[in-house]
Amino acid sequence: MIMNEEGKKEQTVSGNELGQGSTPTGPTLKEKVRKKEASASIGKGTFEEEISRRSFFSWLTIAWIAFSAATVAFFAMMMRFMFPNVLFEPPQSFKVGYPKDYTVGQVDVRWKSKHGIWIIRSPEYIYALSTICTHLGCKPNWLENEQKFKCPCHGSGFRKTGINFEGPAPRPLERFKIVLADDGQILVDKTKIFQYEKGQWNDPESYLVV
Amino acid sequence: METFKHLVNILAHPTIMLTVGMLVFLFFFPPNDWFEKWNRRLRLNFLWTKKGFYFVMFLMVVFFLFGLTDPNFSLIIKKPDNVPIIGLIFFVFIFLWISMNQALKNDNLIEAGEKPEEYNDPEDKVLVWPDLVYIEFIALILCMSLLLIWSIGLEAPLEGPANPAESPNPSKAPWYFLGLQEMLVYFDPWLAGVVFPSLIILGLMAIPYLDTNPEGAGYYSYKQRRLAIPIYLFGWMILWVALIVIGTFLRGPNWNFFGPFEFWDLHKLVPLTNINLSEIIYIKWFNRGLPENILVREIFGFLIVFGYFLLLPPLLAKTAFKKLHQNLGNFKFGFFIFLLLCMLSLPIKMYLRWLFNLKYLIAIPEFFFNI
Ligand code: FES
């Protein structure tokens, strides 16, 4: 840098050595700190000398505690994140109306989005099918024309009974416990599942005789 | 025009497309003398010349431009989700062409008793600073500006708010996973979703240990690597890229197959009833019910799978891969052949499904074990 005028030179120098030298206008940061130190601990020597072995450790302890606290707080917040304020958790057991509400031979899709079940009434009984594909858990659609459930993800197909017959799904859809409540309504309990491949569809709770 | 579209729709059926694709592949990338003879006779290496390059690029551009005029296909092409795949189709060809072009040049040189071109290149070394870093920097800026233009010019393919009760129809994975999704159609989730992807990564990592052929190191050559290149390209071009293309262009509602010019009919009726091997054998052939005992029921599937993985390797070591077996030794060869058989099991399973509606060779839903 070429400096011709006095003023410019001074400016440049102070600019270059910011934080080390002093500006003509006021005390630097370090000087301020020094002054403060001096007023805080009179007669104890300069700032640099002040960090003894002992105080170093106490500083370290404080820093370490602060660091650990921050870390703990961080992980606590992260754990808090695991428990959202709003949970999509519809009740696991619920009433779905009276048996006469269901037409024979029809697949009732009314409860699919709310409770994740299809209610199917065959001539003899009513059963509740899970809407979760047994392949990877997508939600199949009921196709009335084809009379089958068809999964949009990898094309698994299930018959009205829930039996898998096309695509990769390895086992039939699950059925839920279905009973009559005291008031005559149908009560579905999703906590109890019945799997065909384990022979559980013969369980009297897995269907409702009407 | 309509007949042409109809023809494409028919040819696009995966059974036909994959069969033709795999056959053509073998002639373009001949793994042995017989295919090489035909490769020469049909002058297929024309593809890797400059003229061939322009020819293919021209065909592809014309095809997509033509596709834009079709109401059904243009919907697929113009979907912002699918832009990368059209790019992929072009780029895969361009890079393949560059390396094959160079490889064939070298092959000719080597045949004439000379050294490959890379040996005579005085500039075959690049200084990291500044040359390489500059190139990388420019590439970085170009990519950034491309992404910027892309993100401004095309709307993000957002869908409606998430709804755990409904799956979009069809539900497609991100484009780079469409190959995996296609694989999931034919295999149990634990195989297609866990075992095979791990094997793919493991296999890629194993390449330097299995491919110990010192020829072709440092220069492009096809003839000296007549085994390595086709095997790799088969996995990459057919089992990865082609499956992505199938998943993008040919899979429609209810995950049915649709030709590119076909209307995506929600109610397209595809009569399909898949059956397991045990059902074919016991019910169809023996005319009786399935045995109670799981092992007895699935014994044929087990026999086939064990035969495939235990009998084929020694057989291949004695015949097709004799030289390789000598070079690699038992252990490495076993590993190699295991990976190869796993890779080939995918097209095999696809054909079994398409031709015989076979669902699983071994089906034990009781233990989540299906192959
Ligand atoms: S999730 Fe239903 S077929 Fe894969």
Side-chain angles (χ1 to χ4, degrees):
Chain A
M1 201 173 288
I2 305 155
M3 287 156 284
N4 294 335
E5 298 161 56
E6 271 304 299
K8 203 171 182 181
K9 186 180 176 184
E10 224 181 64
Q11 235 180 352
T12 326
V13 168
S14 68
N16 270 348
E17 301 180 347
L18 194 69
Q20 292 173 29
S22 58
T23 53
T25 41
T28 60
L29 188 67
K30 206 165 180 180
E31 276 170 352
K32 270 188 199 160
V33 172
R34 264 201 198 129
K35 263 183 202 160
K36 227 183 185 176
E37 271 317 310
S39 59
S41 53
I42 299 164
K44 275 197 177 175
T46 59
F47 180 58
E48 284 84 1
E49 288 167 16
E50 210 183 310
I51 299 184
S52 64
R53 198 170 279 234
R54 185 170 304 219
S55 72
F56 173 73
F57 276 113
S58 70
W59 275 112
L60 189 72
T61 317
I62 291 173
W64 188 247
I65 288 174
F67 175 71
S68 323
T71 314
V72 168
F74 172 74
F75 279 109
M77 270 151 71
M78 221 160 86
M79 287 311 289
R80 172 70 186 76
F81 183 71
M82 302 286 175
F83 301 91
N85 295 333
V86 185
L87 255 193
F88 180 77
E89 259 181 0
Q92 289 298 293
S93 112
F94 43 84
K95 291 180 177 165
V96 291
Y98 299 93
K100 63 172 172 14
D101 299 348
Y102 296 94
T103 334
V104 174
Q106 285 269 306
V107 172
D108 197 296
V109 297
R110 267 182 298 160
W111 309 103
K112 188 186 174 195
S113 49
K114 192 158 171 220
H115 292 305
I117 54 162
W118 288 299
I119 302 265
I120 296 129
R121 171 155 187 187
S122 71
E124 301 93 38
Y125 49 86
I126 298 180
Y127 51 93
L129 271 184
S130 155
T131 60
I132 296 176
C133 179
T134 51
H135 182 228
L136 279 178
C138 287
K139 305 290 147 68
N141 300 305
W142 169 247
L143 306 180
E144 186 65 44
N145 292 345
E146 291 87 339
Q147 289 286 309
K148 67 180 178 189
F149 300 101
K150 187 77 173 157
C151 185
C153 290
H154 315 91
S156 285
F158 305 87
R159 292 193 204 290
K160 204 192 249 173
T161 52
I163 301 279
N164 54 323
F165 72 99
E166 65 178 350
R171 53 197 190 88
L173 295 173
E174 290 163 357
R175 291 188 183 181
F176 294 124
K177 175 177 165 184
I178 185 166
V179 286
L180 270 191
D182 297 336
D183 58 355
Q185 290 206 53
I186 302 173
L187 185 74
V188 176
D189 183 1
K190 284 179 73 179
T191 54
K192 187 131 179 54
I193 51 180
F194 298 97
Q195 294 175 321
Y196 172 80
E197 68 276 11
K198 294 191 179 158
Q200 291 165 338
W201 282 7
N202 295 324
D203 194 302
E205 281 188 331
S206 70
Y207 55 88
L208 189 68
V209 187
V210 279
Chain B
M1 268 308 94
E2 284 310 307
T3 37
F4 171 72
K5 284 182 189 175
H6 201 69
L7 194 75
V8 172
N9 281 344
I10 291 176
L11 289 181
H13 194 276
T15 324
I16 301 175
M17 194 174 90
L18 211 73
T19 314
V20 173
M22 290 201 294
L23 280 181
V24 168
F25 176 88
L26 284 176
F27 285 99
F28 276 106
F29 302 97
N32 62 19
D33 290 329
W34 190 85
F35 282 108
E36 192 163 325
K37 199 175 74 195
W38 278 99
N39 173 295
R40 269 177 205 227
R41 241 182 240 176
L42 298 172
R43 300 189 180 282
L44 293 180
N45 282 342
F46 164 75
L47 194 66
W48 314 119
T49 60
K50 276 230 171 71
K51 270 188 204 145
F53 177 79
Y54 292 124
F55 179 66
V56 173
M57 288 301 264
F58 175 76
L59 279 190
M60 292 202 290
V61 171
V62 166
F63 179 74
F64 282 114
L65 285 183
F66 173 69
L68 279 178
T69 64
D70 181 85
N72 295 315
F73 197 31
S74 72
L75 277 183
I76 303 178
I77 300 180
K78 280 201 231 139
K79 196 167 176 233
D81 272 318
N82 295 345
V83 175
I85 299 167
I86 295 171
L88 174 94
I89 293 176
F90 281 91
F91 277 122
V92 162
F93 175 71
I94 290 173
F95 284 114
L96 195 65
W97 184 86
I98 292 177
S99 38
M100 280 306 281
N101 176 273
Q102 189 62 44
L104 288 194
K105 267 188 211 157
N106 283 345
D107 282 348
N108 288 340
L109 282 176
I110 294 169
E111 215 162 287
E114 287 172 51
K115 295 218 158 196
E117 253 185 17
E118 282 88 342
Y119 275 93
N120 310 322
D121 190 355
E123 291 184 40
D124 68 339
K125 288 200 184 78
V126 176
L127 295 175
V128 170
W129 175 263
D131 298 354
L132 180 66
V133 177
Y134 267 44
I135 294 173
E136 285 173 347
F137 184 61
I138 291 168
L140 186 123
I141 290 176
L142 286 181
C143 286
M144 277 300 280
S145 37
L146 180 79
L147 284 178
L148 266 177
I149 296 170
W150 186 345
S151 55
I152 293 170
L154 280 178
E155 269 174 30
L158 299 181
E159 294 173 20
N163 177 0
E166 290 290 338
S167 307
N169 190 7
S171 289
K172 292 201 180 180
W175 62 269
Y176 43 84
F177 277 152
L178 276 174
L180 284 184
Q181 194 176 1
E182 191 62 33
M183 198 150 84
L184 275 165
V185 174
Y186 307 97
F187 285 102
D188 197 60
W190 66 269
L191 265 180
V194 181
V195 175
F196 281 165
S198 324
L199 279 182
I200 292 174
I201 296 171
L202 205 73
L204 287 175
M205 293 192 320
I207 286 178
Y209 303 97
L210 297 178
D211 178 13
T212 48
N213 178 3
E215 288 181 328
Y219 57 93
Y220 288 97
S221 161
Y222 183 83
K223 269 199 198 126
Q224 298 182 342
R225 314 191 60 79
R226 231 173 37 175
L227 206 55
I229 293 179
I231 290 179
Y232 179 80
L233 281 184
F234 182 79
W236 163 239
M237 297 278 296
I238 308 259
L239 297 186
W240 193 257
V241 176
L243 287 193
I244 287 180
V245 172
I246 287 182
T248 314
F249 292 142
L250 306 181
R251 286 294 197 176
N254 297 327
W255 214 247
N256 282 328
F257 277 122
F258 290 83
F261 301 110
E262 198 176 335
F263 171 64
W264 276 18
D265 181 6
L266 265 179
H267 296 288
K268 175 173 179 174
L269 199 60
V270 187
L272 267 184
T273 300
N274 298 333
I275 32 182
N276 295 322
L277 182 71
S278 54
E279 291 161 351
I280 296 184
I281 291 184
Y282 281 107
I283 297 176
K284 263 198 180 165
W285 294 355
F286 293 174
N287 252 328
R288 45 168 293 188
L290 290 180
E292 278 291 304
N293 190 309
I294 295 175
L295 270 184
V296 178
R297 188 182 74 200
E298 305 301 339
I299 187 78
F300 298 101
F302 277 116
L303 283 180
I304 291 181
V305 173
F306 281 134
Y308 182 69
F309 279 109
L310 294 180
L311 295 184
L312 270 188
L315 203 73
L316 287 173
K318 294 255 155 56
T319 54
F321 292 125
K322 206 167 179 181
K323 239 176 80 195
L324 191 76
H325 179 227
Q326 283 164 359
N327 286 343
L328 286 182
N330 272 336
F331 178 72
K332 278 187 181 180
F333 180 78
F335 194 57
F336 160 79
I337 209 78
F338 170 71
L339 290 172
L340 188 76
L341 288 178
C342 282
M343 183 166 101
L344 290 180
S345 70
L346 175 61
I348 291 177
K349 192 76 196 289
M350 290 165 95
Y351 276 107
L352 286 178
R353 176 70 63 81
W354 292 335
L355 299 180
F356 307 113
N357 276 333
L358 181 93
K359 188 187 218 166
Y360 291 123
L361 288 167
I362 303 176
I364 312 182
E366 292 90 338
F367 298 110
F368 291 98
F369 187 84
N370 306 289
I371 293 178

